[in-house]
Amino acid sequence: MRPRHWAAISETVGYDLRPDDHTSLTRFVDMGLAKWVEQLTVISDSASKEYSIERSVEAMKKEWNSVEFGTSPYRDSGTHILVGTSLEDIQTLLDDHIVKTQTMKGSSFAKPFAEAIGDWERWLTAMQEVIDSWIQVQTTWLYLEPIFSSDDIMKQMPEEGQMFKQVDGSWRTIMAEVVTSAQVRAVSAIPNLLPTLQSSCVMLEKIQKGLNQYLETKRLFFPRFV
């Protein structure tokens, strides 16, 4: 029972019923509260359901305390990549918690926690965007990294080469942070994480487009070129 519930009870019975050090069930019985039992039951049920929602939000937050990103060194590149089941587990947990949070948000008993639930939902959806962008960046980076490790390609495609250097630098900075502290809640606090990944996605798309055009030009001049 929260102060708001005791205030509602006090208003129902017409006098202050907020508990103190001397409050007991016997005292309430002696006050003749039985005649308000129906109204008090409604308040009690509301308090119980609100408490359940409050506990559920806290339980979800605590569940993330032990969730970490899995990483592995990538060849001899000097950096790491996200790996394995940790990503799948994180995505599954995100999906589950987003559904739970949105269901909670629609409850008539969620009003006292509307701000907290909204903040939690924003964190979950932001992390979902982070993961989606991160996977996209990693997939493309893994494809392009061996190509732009070539000095010849860097000379023949200077514009794309410079963009790749920028993406590569951002990637290495982010992954160094993750290796230092892999806990998801800590990673989510990396400054500008989502904008950086989204910007990298845009640049990688441009790099791929330039690379495809470069390869097509080579094929025109060298029909056997693959």
Side-chain angles (χ1 to χ4, degrees):
M1 296 284 283
R2 303 298 187 195
R4 63 180 176 274
H5 303 121
W6 288 111
I9 289 173
S10 298
E11 183 178 352
T12 298
V13 301
Y15 50 87
D16 191 357
L17 265 183
R18 285 174 292 185
D20 54 34
D21 294 339
H22 304 291
T23 298
S24 66
L25 180 60
T26 302
R27 181 186 173 197
F28 285 145
V29 171
D30 291 342
M31 288 179 178
L33 298 181
K35 59 184 175 182
W36 289 291
V37 67
E38 187 174 336
Q39 297 96 315
L40 299 184
T41 298
V42 171
I43 296 172
S44 176
D45 288 344
S46 295
S48 178
K49 289 171 183 176
E50 288 172 13
Y51 181 65
S52 177
I53 289 174
E54 187 178 22
R55 286 290 300 273
S56 293
V57 173
E58 291 305 314
M60 282 192 286
K61 291 180 179 179
K62 286 181 181 178
E63 195 169 350
W64 284 97
N65 291 339
S66 59
V67 181
E68 296 185 347
F69 285 104
T71 63
S72 176
Y74 176 65
R75 297 180 181 176
D76 59 351
S77 64
T79 187
H80 291 67
I81 58 173
L82 300 177
V83 293
T85 58
S86 69
L87 268 180
E88 296 172 7
D89 293 343
I90 290 169
Q91 287 177 305
T92 299
L93 190 59
L94 278 171
D95 291 341
D96 179 52
H97 282 191
I98 286 172
V99 171
K100 284 182 179 177
T101 302
Q102 289 176 341
T103 300
M104 247 179 251
K105 191 177 177 182
S107 169
S108 59
F109 301 101
K111 188 175 179 180
F113 318 107
E115 186 176 351
I117 292 173
D119 288 342
W120 180 238
E121 183 183 29
R122 281 187 286 276
W123 184 85
L124 290 170
T125 53
M127 279 309 301
Q128 192 173 54
E129 288 185 74
V130 164
I131 297 296
D132 290 344
S133 296
W134 211 331
I135 292 173
Q136 185 178 344
V137 170
Q138 175 164 295
T139 301
T140 312
W141 181 87
L142 287 171
Y143 169 68
L144 294 175
E145 194 274 337
I147 297 172
F148 284 91
S149 293
S150 165
D151 290 337
D152 184 52
I153 290 293
M154 292 294 283
K155 289 176 183 177
Q156 295 191 52
M157 303 181 65
E159 183 179 348
E160 288 81 3
Q162 287 303 311
M163 280 194 290
F164 185 79
K165 277 186 176 180
Q166 186 175 340
V167 171
D168 186 66
S170 297
W171 177 264
R172 291 171 184 273
T173 297
I174 290 171
M175 293 310 300
E177 294 260 17
V178 177
V179 170
T180 299
S181 182
Q183 203 258 359
V184 173
R185 296 299 295 272
V187 171
S188 71
I190 295 175
N192 301 313
L193 178 59
L194 180 57
T196 298
L197 290 169
Q198 290 174 330
S199 176
S200 293
C201 284
V202 172
M203 283 190 283
L204 288 169
E205 286 180 7
K206 291 179 180 178
I207 294 167
Q208 277 195 299
K209 184 177 180 181
L211 179 62
N212 291 337
Q213 290 173 344
Y214 169 79
L215 294 175
E216 185 60 32
T217 300
K218 287 291 185 181
R219 290 190 186 98
L220 291 174
F221 284 98
F222 305 98
R224 294 183 182 180
F225 179 77
V226 177

